[in-house]
Amino acid sequence: MMEQYLALKSEAGESLLFYRMGDFFELFFDDAKVAANILDIALTSRGEHDGEPVAMCGVPVHSAEGYLARLIKAGQRVAIAEQVETPDEAKARAKREGKPASKALVGRDIVRFVTAGTLTEEALLNPRAANLLVALADVRGTIGLAACDISTGTMTLEECSPAMLGAELARLGATEVVVPEGWEHGPEEASFHARSAFSSDGGSDALQKVHGVSTLDGFGDFSRAMLAAAGGLIGYLDHVGRGTLPLLLPPVLRDNSAGMVMDEATRGSLEILESQNGARTGSLVAALDRCSTGAGSRLLAQDLSAPLLDHAAIEDRLSLVQFWRERPIERANLRDVLRALPDIGRALGRLVAGRGSPRDLGQIRDGLGEAWRLYYWLSREDDRPALLEALVPQLAGHGALTDLLSRALVPSPPTERSNGGFIAEGYDASLDELREVSGNARRAIAAMEARYREETGIASLKIKHNGVLGYFIEVPSRHGDALMAPDSGFTHRQTMKGAVRFNSLSLHEEASRISEAGGRALAAEEAHFEDLVGAVVEAREAIAATAAALARIDVSAANAERASEGDWCRPEISEEYALDIEAGRHPVVEAALAKVGDRFVANDCNLGCDDRLWLIGGPNMGGKSTFLRQNALIVLMAQAGCFVPAASARIGLVDRLFSRVGASDNLARGRSTFMVEMVETAAILSQATQRSFVILDEVGRGTSTYDGLALAWAVVEGVHSRIECRCLFATHYHELSRLAESCESLSLHHVRAREWKGDLVLLHELAEGPADRSYGLAVAKLAGVPKDVVARAKAVLEKLERSREETGGLAAGLGELPLFAAAVPEPQATVEDALAAKLRDTDLDALSPRDALDLLYDLKRSLD
Ligand code: ADP
């Protein structure tokens, strides 16, 4: 056995090997130690190998899913080795091979690798989040990305430059990334797969084979990098599924220029899909999501992760939201229908991957049936916007399949198919007959029990059934002797404590009738199951299109619902250089305040060509970063096709969004806060364009006052005069307000605060002009710093302020500095440069000692 185990283990490689033994999956050696630790189960040992006891632990097969989920969550991959023959088959094989049957070992094989990105099990997936597997390939410096969600079959191909890889991966939010073996540019925890799979020719062939086409032209014009990534993706899926490929829909080409670009730091700081502590609670999507279905929530998350740049496509989404916004009653009806809808996309994924159950077939039947009813209703609605017009036809067209499934299946089919019972009566006459036979036999057995009681006079006689004996007659021990008589017609089978068990000829006959008919009925149901799955798989693309249409309709109605809850408005999108938001709010902060009964103060933001950079001052806790973030979120939501929390919003399309707000805690990766801030700021200065929108908070806070002020000063100048993009810049450096003198499109603003009876009142209201003072000590007092410390700080502050007045302050003279763009001087040639040039040009080997000495004198002279 050890030999077989070790062979399988070497095939499993890095994955933990689940080795099936009867009703358990067993793990051995280091695998056992790792799993026992993660799962918190007992680690035992068994036998010896190379003189060492073999560590071992196991999990029951029937509850393996839960254990798998925990291992995958902990970052492990698992290989499942199943028994692929019965003990009888193993014995027969041994005989054929001339080996003793007693030594026959049941054959085992790895039937599947379970990895985070290749799950389809309902229990292991989050219904409201996509589960993406992404493969990367590098073809002559261009990175191809192939992404798929095998739980629903969607697949996209795209490419980017190596510099943008981080941003693209952040947008995709993959659960698992696969890269060619030995490739070093992927994320740290990437899975490796054989390099040979990542070739463009191989990828093209694999795609053609999967979709049964001779050319990919009908799907799109894919680059070599994209095809190579697709090759790697399909190769990996094939490896993981041991030759069974999951559901893969035709690849969709994603044009990266069609979307707004956001890098990882921006996504993190805007807390789009999760808040900074990693939870969904407190994120933008959680504050927005009113979807009725899991598929809708997944699509909304995708929309928010990839806002659009295509004006028409954004208007299409907005018009559909408006359609539902204006029809509250229809919206409520629609949402009721959607709520009852099963997740047909994921049911389809399981069926195609060969892991489907009768219940999945039932879900497809119910889902498609509901989709048809929606079709019937929506195609009669007036004034349908273009997007709905395009979606409605995709809801219909499954008549024959729904009909077939409705006739074939019982109303609520089970998840377990091995016990049968899911094919409806009337679907197959011969199956009905078999059921009739076993039903009759069961009735006969019930009648037999009554008859035997009468004949024997034993009222407590029972006919029972168990897995070992099958049907048997049981009487209490004291009546046992009566039936033991040779002519009683009963044969003894088993004596238990307190009971004796018998068989009889007629019971045996009826029992065989049941088991034979039962076995044939099961086989018939199994065959029907395969046929029905075949019919569903045949229609997979149309079913997936229906699932996608339902999800889009759900998202639009959910956005309308959210908009009506919060009185949000439809943003006006334009190609102009504008950002006019009237009475904007932060959706997450507003909701949090509402919970404790506080009101959010709405604020305007008006950026345009001649006023494109707002410098915002004011006390800590005054609401600066909230204001920055809310405007970035409003832009993001608008371009994702959502209504926005404002009285009105006019948004000139933003090509790239940058957000540096709040200390991003990258310290775990060995970078100081200041270093992180500088790296992120560098990215903005090198990547932002005139059409970008940048929000920056407290640049330079992580270093000394002079360094910090100098950096903040230079960054503002760079953004204002070189990039010329729209920007909100929050700072506590009063000195920066002097930039208003030299930067003509910059204006000064502050969050208002007031001191009232010695206490600080934060108004969270934005006003024009510079902040009059910083209120730092008042904030400290508010935060509970002891009175004597605040008093001492006040004295120190007065002294500092006096000396500032005398010297003109930190920024004295900065106003006269030339602007950033002109500030980089041309390097001047120096004496040292001349010396170096002379030395470089001299061939030392060609010099006599005398010449060398002369040269030395010469050099020294030129220094003087
Ligand atoms: P700053 O960046 O100026 O230090 P924050 O933006 O972090 O301040 O805001 C601090 C707190 O003030 C927030 O957590 C929120 O509770 C409250 N706040 C911010 N903006 C508003 C607003 N517009 N209306 C009401 N409360 C607000």
Side-chain angles (χ1 to χ4, degrees):
M1 186 207 107
M2 221 7 106
E3 203 177 311
Q4 183 190 51
Y5 173 84
L6 291 173
L8 289 170
K9 177 61 197 167
S10 85
E11 226 180 302
E14 300 267 289
S15 306
L16 301 178
L17 183 65
F18 267 37
Y19 183 84
R20 174 80 182 251
M21 293 177 81
D23 290 336
F24 277 81
F25 284 119
E26 304 287 3
L27 295 103
F28 300 102
F29 300 105
D30 285 347
D31 282 7
K33 292 179 192 157
V34 172
N37 188 18
I38 296 173
L39 300 175
D40 199 14
I41 55 176
L43 186 68
T44 58
S45 65
R46 160 187 173 139
E48 281 196 351
H49 183 71
D50 287 347
E52 297 268 328
V54 178
M56 155 179 172
C57 67
V59 302
V61 171
H62 68 88
S63 57
E65 260 190 15
Y67 290 109
L68 274 175
R70 281 160 62 193
L71 290 171
I72 299 296
K73 206 155 184 202
Q76 298 292 332
R77 288 183 271 271
V78 177
I80 310 265
E82 284 283 4
Q83 297 173 188
V84 291
E85 56 185 5
T86 63
D88 287 344
E89 285 167 341
K91 280 183 195 139
R93 181 169 50 81
K95 222 177 200 171
R96 279 198 307 279
E97 292 167 359
K99 293 179 194 150
S102 59
K103 289 255 171 81
L105 180 63
V106 176
R108 290 182 176 82
D109 228 337
I110 296 180
V111 293
R112 185 187 163 201
F113 286 88
V114 186
T115 73
T118 58
L119 299 174
T120 49
E121 284 80 356
E122 212 168 352
L124 307 191
L125 289 167
N126 175 354
R128 299 207 171 259
N131 195 49
L132 276 197
L133 173 69
V134 176
L136 306 177
D138 183 349
V139 175
R140 286 195 293 276
T142 299
I143 311 288
L145 296 94
C148 76
D149 183 343
I150 68 160
S151 67
T152 54
T154 53
M155 176 167 182
T156 55
L157 299 182
E158 56 193 284
E159 63 177 28
C160 70
S161 65
M164 293 305 290
L165 180 60
E168 293 308 324
L169 283 177
R171 171 177 57 76
L172 287 164
T175 319
E176 185 178 358
V177 177
V178 190
V179 301
E181 219 139 33
W183 199 59
E184 287 166 356
H185 310 292
E188 262 169 43
E189 56 294 346
S191 312
F192 288 116
H193 186 61
R195 234 161 215 286
S196 55
F198 293 79
S199 82
S200 55
D201 288 344
S204 167
D205 287 349
L207 281 173
Q208 288 178 14
K209 212 166 127 209
V210 167
H211 299 292
V213 292
S214 56
T215 161
L216 297 178
D217 292 352
F219 298 148
D221 188 9
F222 304 112
S223 71
R224 291 172 61 92
M226 295 177 193
L227 291 172
L233 184 81
I234 295 176
Y236 182 70
L237 286 173
D238 189 64
H239 161 75
V240 166
R242 304 292 279 173
T244 307
L245 276 181
L247 171 61
L248 286 178
L249 296 168
V252 175
L253 188 126
R254 195 187 128 87
D255 178 3
N256 276 330
S257 62
M260 174 201 272
V261 176
M262 289 184 279
D263 56 19
E264 197 175 352
T266 300
R267 287 169 197 278
S269 102
L270 292 179
E271 304 179 295
I272 302 173
L273 299 189
E274 46 187 50
S275 66
Q276 297 208 331
N277 63 19
R280 190 176 195 264
T281 322
S283 67
L284 175 67
V285 72
L288 249 65
D289 189 355
R290 296 292 183 270
C291 289
S292 311
T293 67
S297 294
R298 298 197 292 272
L299 183 61
L300 176 64
Q302 199 181 319
D303 284 358
L304 295 173
S305 305
L308 305 173
L309 199 48
D310 177 344
H311 191 168
I314 298 171
E315 294 294 351
D316 275 349
R317 284 189 192 170
L318 291 172
S319 298
L320 188 50
V321 179
Q322 183 169 349
F323 177 83
W324 294 119
R325 176 89 165 88
E326 289 164 354
R327 290 168 177 72
I329 296 173
E330 285 89 341
R331 187 172 79 230
N333 287 339
L334 171 75
R335 288 163 50 76
D336 279 344
V337 173
L338 291 174
R339 250 191 297 278
L341 209 64
D343 199 332
I344 55 175
R346 286 199 164 163
L348 178 68
R350 286 189 292 274
L351 288 166
V352 176
R355 297 173 208 153
S357 70
R359 179 160 172 267
D360 292 319
L361 288 174
Q363 293 199 341
I364 298 272
R365 169 197 63 196
D366 301 343
L368 294 181
E370 284 305 318
W372 189 82
R373 271 185 283 283
L374 275 182
Y375 166 80
Y376 190 76
W377 163 31
L378 293 178
S379 50
R380 271 157 192 70
E381 282 292 312
D382 294 329
D383 306 323
R384 278 171 295 162
L387 183 53
L388 193 56
E389 197 71 26
L391 292 172
V392 165
Q394 310 205 19
L395 299 177
H398 303 289
L401 181 62
T402 344
D403 201 45
L404 171 68
L405 293 173
S406 303
R407 279 190 297 114
L409 296 170
V410 298
S412 336
T415 37
E416 184 52 53
R417 77 174 198 256
S418 56
N419 300 330
F422 51 86
I423 295 293
E425 234 181 88
Y427 178 65
D428 171 358
S430 57
L431 175 61
D432 289 348
E433 224 163 83
L434 289 170
R435 285 177 175 164
E436 175 85 17
V437 171
S438 57
N440 284 343
R442 276 199 186 91
R443 274 189 292 280
I445 288 176
M448 205 180 289
E449 186 179 68
R451 202 176 72 230
Y452 283 157
R453 276 184 196 164
E454 209 177 292
E455 285 172 9
T456 60
I458 306 172
S460 50
L461 179 149
K462 284 200 179 83
I463 296 185
K464 292 182 165 179
H465 181 270
N466 72 24
V468 181
L469 294 186
Y471 284 95
F472 54 86
I473 299 148
E474 187 177 282
V475 294
S477 304
R478 62 196 145 87
H479 296 296
D481 287 348
L483 304 196
M484 286 287 194
D487 57 348
S488 66
F490 297 97
T491 37
H492 174 255
R493 299 205 61 189
Q494 210 176 23
T495 300
M496 314 284 296
K497 191 164 173 271
V500 192
R501 292 169 171 181
F502 298 89
N503 198 356
S504 78
L505 200 58
S506 24
L507 178 62
H508 178 71
E509 272 170 14
E510 295 298 348
S512 339
R513 215 164 281 161
I514 293 179
S515 89
E516 193 192 331
R520 284 171 56 204
L522 276 185
E525 290 211 52
E526 183 62 28
H528 287 308
F529 179 78
E530 296 298 334
D531 287 349
L532 295 172
V533 171
V536 168
V537 170
E538 186 82 0
R540 62 184 179 274
E541 282 175 32
I543 298 175
T546 303
L550 287 167
R552 175 54 69 201
I553 292 173
D554 186 17
V555 168
S556 60
N559 282 336
E561 182 75 17
R562 185 66 187 88
S564 94
E565 255 175 51
D567 200 14
W568 293 2
C569 75
R570 174 177 180 159
E572 188 190 322
I573 309 289
S574 77
E575 312 274 347
E576 295 159 25
Y577 187 99
L579 191 65
D580 284 318
I581 294 165
E582 197 189 330
R585 281 118 62 200
H586 190 301
V588 181
V589 176
E590 183 176 29
L593 289 178
K595 267 201 192 130
V596 293
D598 277 345
R599 204 175 57 88
F600 189 90
V601 180
N603 279 304
D604 298 351
C605 173
N606 308 101
L607 300 176
C609 287
D610 44 10
D611 186 11
R612 57 179 179 253
L613 196 158
W614 279 17
L615 210 55
I616 301 163
N620 274 328
M621 292 300 288
K624 297 185 295 297
S625 42
T626 304
F627 178 73
L628 262 51
R629 280 207 189 98
Q630 87 191 24
N631 289 298
L633 291 178
I634 286 174
V635 167
L636 184 158
M637 289 165 66
Q639 290 190 213
C642 305
F643 277 30
V644 297
S648 76
R650 202 160 58 88
I651 293 163
L653 283 170
V654 167
D655 66 346
R656 288 163 184 233
L657 184 64
F658 291 95
S659 165
R660 299 297 178 270
V661 180
S664 47
D665 218 345
N666 237 338
L667 296 173
R669 289 198 219 156
R671 285 172 163 186
S672 72
T673 316
F674 179 66
M675 183 66 184
V676 171
E677 187 186 325
M678 283 303 114
V679 168
E680 293 177 358
T681 309
I684 298 182
L685 292 171
S686 65
Q687 293 168 12
T689 77
Q690 206 182 11
R691 288 178 70 196
S692 304
F693 179 43
V694 175
I695 60 172
L696 281 165
D697 190 17
E698 306 272 11
V699 168
R701 70 181 175 279
T703 185
S704 76
T705 314
Y706 277 99
D707 282 2
L709 172 59
L711 281 164
W713 185 286
V715 169
V716 172
E717 280 185 350
V719 170
H720 174 272
S721 307
R722 200 154 54 97
I723 301 172
E724 302 183 343
C725 63
R726 287 159 286 182
C727 174
L728 299 175
F729 193 106
T731 183
H732 60 271
Y733 291 121
H734 285 293
E735 294 77 6
L736 285 185
S737 50
R738 301 199 46 190
L739 276 163
E741 296 159 20
S742 53
C743 298
E744 60 195 24
S745 302
L746 176 154
S747 61
L748 303 176
H749 303 259
H750 65 278
V751 283
R752 290 184 58 204
R754 226 182 266 153
E755 273 200 76
W756 196 68
K757 290 191 183 163
D759 279 332
L760 182 70
V761 183
L762 300 166
L763 300 175
H764 303 300
E765 196 181 287
L766 210 74
E768 286 185 19
D772 48 355
R773 38 188 290 217
S774 70
Y775 296 100
L777 300 189
V779 173
K781 190 173 159 202
L782 201 67
V785 173
K787 275 194 183 121
D788 51 337
V789 176
V790 176
R792 173 70 183 143
K794 215 168 188 167
V796 174
L797 178 67
E798 275 161 17
K799 194 156 184 340
L800 286 174
E801 281 179 339
R802 260 202 309 284
S803 76
R804 177 168 68 188
E805 273 155 29
E806 283 158 17
T807 59
L810 261 184
L814 280 183
E816 290 90 60
L817 261 184
L819 261 193
F820 185 86
V824 187
E826 283 291 315
Q828 302 266 323
T830 59
V831 183
E832 284 79 5
D833 289 339
L835 279 187
K838 195 155 184 180
L839 265 178
R840 212 176 295 117
D841 292 343
T842 312
D843 180 1
L844 293 178
D845 292 332
L847 292 185
S848 68
R850 177 67 211 245
D851 290 343
L853 201 57
D854 284 348
L855 177 69
L856 208 53
Y857 275 108
D858 222 25
L859 290 178
K860 174 95 169 110
R861 218 172 301 123
S862 56
L863 258 186
D864 301 333

